[in-house]
Amino acid sequence: TASTVIPLTVALGTAAAADYSLAASVTISSGAATGTATFTATDDTADEPSETLTVRLGTLPSGYVRGSTFSAAVTIADNDATTVTLSRAAGMTVEEGDTHRFTLTLGRALVSGESLGVPLTFNIGSGAATRGTDYTLACASRLTGVACANLNSGAATVTFTGPSARVVNVTLTARSDNTTETGGETVNIGLGTLTVSGLGGGADRTDNAAVLRITDPAAVVDTVVTLAVNNNGRVTEGASLTVTVRLNTAAPADAVFTVVAFDRTAASTDYRLVSTVTVRRGAVSGATTLTAVTDNRAEGPETLVIRLGATLPDGYTPGDPNSVGIVINDPPATPPPTPQPQPQPQPPSTTQPPPSTPSRPSRPATPPAQPQPQPQPQPESESEPEREPEPEQEFDDIENTVETHRGAVETLNNDGILDGVGCAADRLCPNEPLNRWQLAVMLIRGLEGADTPETPDTDDDDDGFGDVDNQRWWAPYVTRLAELGLTNGCTPDDYCPDQPLTRGQAAAFIVAAYNLTDTPNSDDAGFTDTTNNPHTAAINTLAKAGITNGCDTNPPRYCPDQPLTLQQFASLLARTQQTQTQPQPQPQPQPEPEPEPEPVFEDINTTIPTHREDVKQLNNDGVFDDLGCTQNRLCPTQRVNRWQLAVILIRQLDNQNTPDTNQNNQDTDTDQDSSEEPRFDDTDNQQWWTPYVTRLAELGITNGCNDQNDYCPDQQLTRGQAAALIAAAYKLTHTASTIGFTDTTNNPHAAAINTLAAAGITNGCDTNPLRYCPHQPATLQQIASMLNRAAAITTTQ
C-alpha cells in the first residue's frame, strides 16, 4: 500500500567482498508485489576456483514477515584459464646413465570437482632418441591427486584431479648402451591438447622445454683432493688454525673426507682436531679446525703433520700436497725489564764506524772461496757441551715415496743428502712438509757435498740466529746458508728452523743457490696464481728451465703458498743438479721423473693411487695381456666391457690357464664343426676371447645378458653387474641384510652388492649419502681392486 524498503545481507563463503557488488536493499513500489537488486561479479585476472556466498533478507519493516525462501546461494564461476607450464632443469645435455628432470607446474592447485589431463608429446625423426629404449620416464605418481600413465609407451598422460598437487617432476633416465652416437640423440618433450573438466576458464599450456641431447658417457676422471692450512701452519697455544680440503672440480654430491694427525715433537694432548671435513655438493672446498691447547709449560715449538685419510670416497684421488705441517708455539713470554746500558770501550780509531748489526755475514754477490781449516787446540774446559753428533739413517719407508719423486729421493738418499732429515729414527716421511732446517741441510749438502760444514768457533752469543741452538747437529748448515748469502732469516734475528717451507720459498732458495738467471716477466711461465707473489721471478726461472711444471695444469698453477714436501724438494734439487752438470742446453724435461717402464703397458702409473697396487699386481700376473686400449697402453680408467670382464675373471680364477677350448682363432678355419660353436649366439668363435666367455658360462657364473641366448660381449659392465659376477665367481654368500646404500633398493644386484660391502671388498661410490652407484659403468682399475680383495678373502677362508 506504500513504497517499502526490504534490506539485504550477505554471508560470505569462499568469496570476498571485493569479488562482487550488490545494493544493500530492494525497494518495492506502492501497489507492486516485487522489487529487484542487481548482483555483479567482479571480473579479475586471477586464476582461482569458483567462489561462493549467500544473500539473505535483512530485518523486515513492521507488518512484514519472512517466507519459506529467504536466502539465495550464489556461485561466482572463474573465467580465467588455469596455466600448465612445462620446464626442465638447467643444461642442454644428459649423459648416458644419468638423469634429467622435467617439471609440470599448474597455475594453482585444483579443488574438488576439477580435473585436468596433460598429454605429453615426443619428437620423432632423424637423430631423435627412442622413448623406452634410449631413455625412460618416471614421475612422482604418489603425489595427491596426480596420476601418471603410459609414460614409456603409448599415449603418455599426467592427470591432475582436485584436490591435487601443483608441481610434478618427470624424471628422464638416459640408458647406457655400447653404441657410439656421433653428436648424440635428441629428446624434445612437449605438451599436447589438454583435457579439462570443471575448470571455469579452461586451461592454457606454456611449453618452456628446449631440445635435450643425450650424449655418450665421458671418460671417468677422478677429482683431485689436496690439503692447505692458513698462517703457514703456525699457531700459538690457545689459538686455532683452519685446515682446508680442496677439490680441483666442484663436488657432484656431498663428500666426507677424513684428516689424520701424525705427531712429531707434539703429543696428542697438545691440540684438538676435528677429523672429518664435509665438502658440500657444488662446492670446491671444506674446512676443519685445529686448536692448540694451552698447557702453561715452556717447551719450545712442537710439530705435527696433518694428512688426508688413507681411504677417500670413490671418484676422488689424493693430490699434491695431501699433507700440511703444523708448528705449535708457546705464547709470548712477558719481556724482562730492560737492562741499563753498560759503558762501552771506545774504539781505537774512528775512521771506520763499528758494525751496527751482529756479526752474521752480509749476503755476498758470489759464494766466497773457502780457506782450508787450520787445526785449533782443543779447549780443556768441559763447561761447553759438545754438539750432538750428526746422525746417519737408513729409512724403512723410502718406498712410500710416490712414483714421480721416488728416483730423486733414492738418488739423494744414496748420496747421503738425506741423512738425519727423517721424521723418526728409521723413517723419512717423504710426503710430509719440509721444514726450514731440513732445507738448509739438503741444500748445503747438494751444493758442497755431504761433509759437515766448518763453522768458526765463537763465544759471541749474538753470532748467528737467536732461535738456532748451536748444539743441534744441523746448526752448521743453517750458518753456512747465511754465510753464502742465501738467507737473512725469517725475521731480523731468527731463522724459524721448524717453520714449514712453502713452494714459493723453495723456488727462491734454489734459484739463489745455483745462480740461475731470474726472469722479471711474471707471465713467462703462465701460472695463474703467482701474480704479485714475491717469488714470481724465481718460480718462472725454474719453470723455464724445466725444473717444475707447477702443481696443476688446468689452469696452470704453482701453488706458491702451499707447504712443500720432502719428496717434492728432492725432485726439484735433483733436476737442478742435473741442469748444472750438463754442458749443453738440454730439452725441456718432463715435470716429474719418468717411472721405470712396466711390462707391456707404459701407462700403469696413471692408475689412481687407490687402485694402483692392485692394477700392478694383476698386470704382473698377466691378467691384462691383450686388454689394453692400444698396443702399449692399458688405459686403467677405461670402462670395462663384458667380454673383458670374462677374460680378467677367468684368468684370475684359473691361474692364467687358457680355457680348454679352441682359441687359436686367428688361424682357425671358418668351417668349424658344431662342437666348437660358442655357447652364446652373439659371441664369434673367431674372437680370441670367446673361450673365456664360454668358460664363464661353464662355471655357472653367467647366463648371459637376456633371454635370447646372448652374452652382449661389447656391452659396458655396470658396477652392479660386476658385484654379482664377482660374488658368484668367488662363491661369496649373499646376505639379505642391507649395508645402508641409498641407491640399491629394488636393484636386482642388491644382495651381491651388500655381500661385497660386508666383506670389505667395496665401500661404494659416495659416503654422504651412502651410495653404490649400481648403474654406473665399472672401470678396469675398480675391477682390479675388487678382484684382488675378493681373492684375498677366499684365500684366507
Side-chain angles (χ1 to χ4, degrees), residues 59 128 147 291 309 330 396 427 452 476 563 653 684 766 772:
T59 302
T291 302
D330 289 340
D396 295 338
R427 298 181 66 244
T452 305
L653 289 172
D684 182 0
D766 198 2
Y772 180 76

Side-chain angles (χ1 to χ4, degrees), residues 363-367 447 484-486 508-518 541 576 580:
R363 178 171 181 159
T366 58
L447 287 169
L484 294 177
L486 301 179
F509 273 112
I510 290 176
V511 166
Y514 286 90
N515 292 321
L516 303 178
T517 303
D518 285 7
T541 296
T576 304
Q580 299 292 296

Side-chain angles (χ1 to χ4, degrees), residues 446-462:
L447 287 169
E448 300 181 342
D451 294 336
T452 305
E454 293 291 339
T455 56
D457 293 331
T458 177
D459 295 330
D460 188 353
D461 291 336
D462 290 333

Side-chain angles (χ1 to χ4, degrees), residues 730 732 755-762 786-797:
Y730 287 94
L732 301 174
T755 296
L756 265 57
I761 297 172
T762 181
M786 288 196 286
L787 280 183
N788 266 355
R789 295 169 194 157
I793 290 173
T794 55
T795 301
T796 57
Q797 288 178 344

Side-chain angles (χ1 to χ4, degrees), residues 404-712:
T404 51
H405 303 297
R406 186 173 298 171
V409 170
E410 289 177 346
T411 298
L412 267 59
N413 184 55
N414 294 336
D415 293 342
I417 291 177
L418 303 182
D419 286 354
V421 299
C423 60
D426 55 355
R427 298 181 66 244
L428 179 62
C429 301
N431 201 29
E432 289 189 3
L434 190 74
N435 290 339
R436 287 169 58 90
W437 72 260
Q438 293 170 308
L439 170 281
V441 174
M442 293 177 66
L443 195 56
I444 294 301
R445 285 175 175 170
L447 287 169
E448 300 181 342
D451 294 336
T452 305
E454 293 291 339
T455 56
D457 293 331
T458 177
D459 295 330
D460 188 353
D461 291 336
D462 290 333
D463 185 57
F465 296 106
D467 60 351
V468 174
D469 183 358
N470 281 334
Q471 306 310 313
R472 302 303 300 269
W473 67 267
W474 44 260
Y477 293 92
V478 176
T479 301
R480 181 61 178 150
L481 203 68
E483 288 176 352
L484 294 177
L486 301 179
T487 184
N488 288 322
C490 62
T491 71
D493 298 311
D494 293 333
Y495 179 70
C496 304
D498 292 310
Q499 186 179 87
L501 191 75
T502 68
R503 291 170 55 87
Q505 292 167 345
F509 273 112
I510 290 176
V511 166
Y514 286 90
N515 292 321
L516 303 178
T517 303
D518 285 7
T519 172
N521 190 342
S522 62
D523 296 326
D524 276 355
F527 294 126
T528 60
D529 59 348
T530 57
T531 305
N532 299 324
N533 189 278
H535 309 299
T536 297
I539 293 168
N540 288 330
T541 296
L542 293 189
K544 298 293 282 186
I547 296 171
T548 182
N549 266 10
C551 66
D552 198 2
T553 58
N554 190 17
R557 296 188 305 129
Y558 182 76
C559 307
D561 298 318
Q562 289 185 4
L564 185 84
T565 65
L566 187 147
Q567 60 188 4
Q568 291 170 338
F569 185 72
S571 289
L572 295 177
L573 192 59
R575 294 179 203 144
T576 304
Q577 290 177 333
Q578 185 179 15
T579 64
Q580 299 292 296
T581 57
Q582 294 173 346
Q584 299 298 327
Q586 298 298 312
Q588 288 281 349
Q590 294 299 318
E592 307 293 354
E594 289 291 337
E596 294 183 5
E598 296 285 346
V600 184
F601 302 116
E602 63 185 18
D603 63 338
I604 289 290
N605 287 326
T606 62
T607 309
I608 67 171
T610 308
H611 305 293
R612 186 173 299 161
E613 292 306 317
D614 295 308
V615 171
K616 284 185 176 180
Q617 179 179 332
L618 267 61
N619 180 57
N620 293 337
D621 292 341
V623 173
F624 294 142
D625 289 355
D626 302 314
L627 295 182
C629 56
T630 65
Q631 182 177 359
N632 56 1
R633 297 183 67 247
L634 178 62
C635 301
T637 60
Q638 72 176 357
R639 299 174 178 191
V640 178
N641 291 341
R642 289 170 58 87
W643 73 260
Q644 293 172 308
L645 183 279
V647 175
I648 294 171
L649 200 52
I650 293 302
R651 284 175 173 172
Q652 185 79 335
L653 289 172
D654 291 352
N655 298 320
Q656 296 306 112
N657 293 327
T658 303
D660 190 15
T661 57
N662 182 7
Q663 72 166 10
N664 297 323
N665 44 58
Q666 301 297 335
D667 303 321
T668 303
D669 292 336
T670 57
D671 299 329
Q672 295 170 328
D673 60 44
S674 59
S675 64
E676 296 173 349
E677 286 298 314
R679 177 170 182 140
F680 298 106
D681 293 341
D682 60 351
T683 53
D684 182 0
N685 227 3
Q686 304 306 310
Q687 295 289 346
W688 66 267
W689 43 259
T690 298
Y692 293 92
V693 175
T694 302
R695 177 64 174 155
L696 204 66
E698 289 174 353
L699 293 176
I701 298 172
T702 183
N703 290 322
C705 64
N706 52 36
D707 297 329
Q708 301 176 3
N709 203 31
D710 290 337
Y711 180 71
C712 305

Side-chain angles (χ1 to χ4, degrees), residues 190-555:
L191 298 179
T193 302
L194 305 176
T195 303
V196 178
S197 175
L199 294 177
D204 287 338
R205 63 178 186 267
T206 302
D207 184 355
N208 292 330
V211 175
L212 179 70
R213 189 172 298 278
I214 299 176
T215 61
D216 290 336
V220 177
V221 178
D222 285 331
T223 300
V224 178
V225 187
T226 57
L227 281 185
V229 64
N230 67 330
N231 200 34
N232 287 328
R234 301 185 70 84
V235 61
T236 302
E237 289 181 3
S240 298
L241 280 177
T242 299
V243 179
T244 303
V245 173
R246 291 176 175 169
L247 310 181
N248 66 333
T249 58
D254 287 359
V256 179
F257 301 89
T258 302
V259 292
V260 183
F262 293 87
D263 297 332
R264 297 187 71 179
T265 60
S268 59
T269 55
D270 292 321
Y271 58 89
R272 295 188 300 272
L273 175 66
V274 180
S275 61
T276 57
V277 180
T278 299
V279 180
R280 297 298 180 187
R281 177 180 179 180
V284 295
S285 65
T288 186
T289 301
L290 178 139
T291 302
V293 175
T294 301
D295 54 20
N296 298 318
R297 295 194 304 269
E299 50 202 350
E302 298 163 302
T303 59
L304 65 140
V305 173
I306 298 178
R307 298 178 184 167
L308 276 175
T311 302
L312 299 180
D314 281 357
Y316 293 90
T317 185
D320 194 0
N322 54 35
S323 65
V324 292
I326 307 294
V327 179
I328 301 175
N329 291 317
D330 289 340
T334 303
T338 304
Q340 294 298 319
Q342 300 296 320
Q344 300 294 323
Q346 295 297 319
S349 171
T350 59
T351 57
Q352 298 207 357
S356 59
T357 60
S359 59
R360 174 157 28 104
S362 61
R363 178 171 181 159
T366 58
Q370 297 299 308
Q372 294 297 321
Q374 300 297 322
Q376 299 291 329
Q378 297 297 320
E380 297 181 3
S381 170
E382 297 183 359
S383 59
E384 290 294 330
E386 295 182 359
R387 178 180 290 123
E388 61 185 8
E390 187 163 344
E392 295 183 4
Q393 285 182 289
E394 292 187 4
F395 303 112
D396 295 338
D397 61 342
I398 289 285
E399 62 183 17
N400 293 343
T401 310
V402 299
E403 290 289 341
T404 51
H405 303 297
R406 186 173 298 171
V409 170
E410 289 177 346
T411 298
L412 267 59
N413 184 55
N414 294 336
D415 293 342
I417 291 177
L418 303 182
D419 286 354
V421 299
C423 60
D426 55 355
R427 298 181 66 244
L428 179 62
C429 301
N431 201 29
E432 289 189 3
L434 190 74
N435 290 339
R436 287 169 58 90
W437 72 260
Q438 293 170 308
L439 170 281
V441 174
M442 293 177 66
L443 195 56
I444 294 301
R445 285 175 175 170
L447 287 169
E448 300 181 342
D451 294 336
T452 305
E454 293 291 339
T455 56
D457 293 331
T458 177
D459 295 330
D460 188 353
D461 291 336
D462 290 333
D463 185 57
F465 296 106
D467 60 351
V468 174
D469 183 358
N470 281 334
Q471 306 310 313
R472 302 303 300 269
W473 67 267
W474 44 260
Y477 293 92
V478 176
T479 301
R480 181 61 178 150
L481 203 68
E483 288 176 352
L484 294 177
L486 301 179
T487 184
N488 288 322
C490 62
T491 71
D493 298 311
D494 293 333
Y495 179 70
C496 304
D498 292 310
Q499 186 179 87
L501 191 75
T502 68
R503 291 170 55 87
Q505 292 167 345
F509 273 112
I510 290 176
V511 166
Y514 286 90
N515 292 321
L516 303 178
T517 303
D518 285 7
T519 172
N521 190 342
S522 62
D523 296 326
D524 276 355
F527 294 126
T528 60
D529 59 348
T530 57
T531 305
N532 299 324
N533 189 278
H535 309 299
T536 297
I539 293 168
N540 288 330
T541 296
L542 293 189
K544 298 293 282 186
I547 296 171
T548 182
N549 266 10
C551 66
D552 198 2
T553 58
N554 190 17

